[in-house]
Amino acid sequence: MGDMDPGTLITMTTIIISGLGIVLGTLTPAIVEARTAVKAIEGMVRQPEVASDLRTTMIIAMALLESTAIYTLLVLLILIFANPLVARFFG
Amino acid sequence: MGVETQNVIRLFGDVWITNTVTSSWVMMTVIVIVAIIMVRRHPATLYMIIEFLTDMIADVMGEEAAITYFPFLGAMAIYVAVANSFGIVPGVIAPTRDLNTPLALAIVVFFAVHYYGIKQKGVVQYLKDTFSPIYLIILILPLEIIGQISRTFSLAMRLFGNILSGELVVAVVISLIPIIVPLPLVGLSMFTGMLQAYIFAVLATVYISTGVQETSD
C-alpha cells in the first residue's frame, strides 16, 4: 500500500466504505421498522377499533426511523459523486 | 426518469434558475388548471380528495383544527404528491429530486409552526409554553433549538433522499435492461412518492399541532 498514489487509495477506500456502509446503514432501520410493524399489527388485531390511529402513528414512527437510512445514503452519495478529497487530489 | 439537474436561465452572475424550478412552474400551472377543470366538471372527485386530506389532518389535530389548517397543509400535501410523481413524464425532472425544493418546503413548515403557534397563543404565552419549566431554561433552550433545526433538516432530507434513491434505482436498472424490467421499480418509486407526500403532510401536521396545543402545567 505504500507505493499507491493517494487518489487510488481514496477511491478504493470510498468503494469499500460505500458497500459496507449501505449494508450496515439500512440493516438497522429495516430491523427496527419491522419490529414497529409487528407491534402495530398486534395492536390492530387486538383492538381493531383503534386501527386508524395506530396506522398513522406507525407511519410517522417508521418515517422517523427511516431517516437514519436516508442519512447513510446521503453521506455515501456525497462520498461517491462529490468526494471533496478526490477533488483535492485530481482537480 | 434519469434527468439531471441543469442550469437553464441565467439571472445574474453565478445565479441560475435550474430545470427543477422551471419544472415546478409547469407543475403549478398543471395543478391550477386541473383544479379549475375539477371544480367545473368533477366536483365529486375534488370533494373526495378534500375529504381524504381533512380526515388525515383531523386524525392528528381534531375536526375543528383540521378546517383551520387545511388550506396550508392540504396545499403542501398536494404539491409534494404531484411533485414526487412528476418525474414520471419523460424528459421532465421531479422538482423534489433537487435538494433545494424539499429544503424550501421544510423551511416554510418551520416558519408556519411558529406563525400558527404565536397566532393561536400570543408571543409571551407561546414562548412560555415552548420553554416550559422556566427554571430549566439553561437545559431546555439548546435542546429546543437543536430539535427545531434538526427536524426541519430531516424533513427535507427524508423527502429528497427517498425521491432521489427511487429515481437512481430506476435509472440504474434502465441502463442495464431498458425494456419492461424497470416497470415494477417505476411503480415502486411512484408508491414511495405518494407515501412520502403523506408522511410529509402528517409530520407537518404533527409539528404544527405541537406548536399550537396548550401545555397542561
Side-chain angles (χ1 to χ4, degrees), chain B residues 1 168-186:
Chain B
M1 290 283 163
L168 279 181
V169 167
V170 173
V172 167
V173 175
I174 281 180
S175 72
L176 294 175
I177 313 161
I179 315 166
I180 298 179
V181 181
L183 272 180
L185 289 165
V186 173

Side-chain angles (χ1 to χ4, degrees), chain A residues 24-42 44 54-55 57-72, chain B residues 158 162 191-192 195-196 199:
Chain A
L24 292 176
T26 49
L27 192 65
T28 329
I31 292 169
V32 181
E33 272 179 43
R35 282 170 76 178
T36 317
V38 167
K39 286 289 175 192
I41 291 167
E42 278 174 6
M44 283 177 202
L54 273 177
R55 196 176 303 121
T57 319
M58 179 187 83
I59 287 175
I60 294 171
M62 280 176 136
L64 292 175
L65 291 169
E66 198 180 309
S67 54
T68 52
I70 298 294
Y71 292 153
T72 313
Chain B
R158 179 177 309 117
N162 273 291
F191 171 71
T192 319
L195 195 66
Q196 287 306 315
I199 287 168

Side-chain angles (χ1 to χ4, degrees), chain A residues 4-5 7 12 16 18 20 22 30 36 38-41 45 47-48 53-54 60 62 68 73 79 81-82 86 89:
Chain A
M4 206 179 277
D5 71 304
M12 208 179 75
I16 294 170
S18 308
L20 259 174
I22 200 71
T36 317
V38 167
K39 286 289 175 192
I41 291 167
V45 170
Q47 284 175 297
D53 276 358
L54 273 177
I60 294 171
M62 280 176 136
T68 52
L73 178 73
L79 275 183
F81 291 110
V86 169
F89 283 105

Side-chain angles (χ1 to χ4, degrees), chain B residues 123-167:
Chain B
V123 179
V124 177
Q125 185 62 37
Y126 179 68
L127 288 177
K128 208 187 270 178
D129 279 359
T130 310
F131 306 114
S132 179
I134 201 76
Y135 49 90
L136 282 178
I137 187 96
I138 204 90
L139 278 175
I140 299 285
L141 188 66
L143 282 181
E144 191 69 27
I145 290 171
I146 293 170
Q148 294 280 351
I149 293 173
S150 75
R151 83 185 185 188
T152 306
F153 190 68
S154 76
L155 195 63
M157 284 304 171
R158 179 177 309 117
L159 186 55
F160 165 68
N162 273 291
I163 302 307
L164 182 71
S165 61
E167 295 218 344

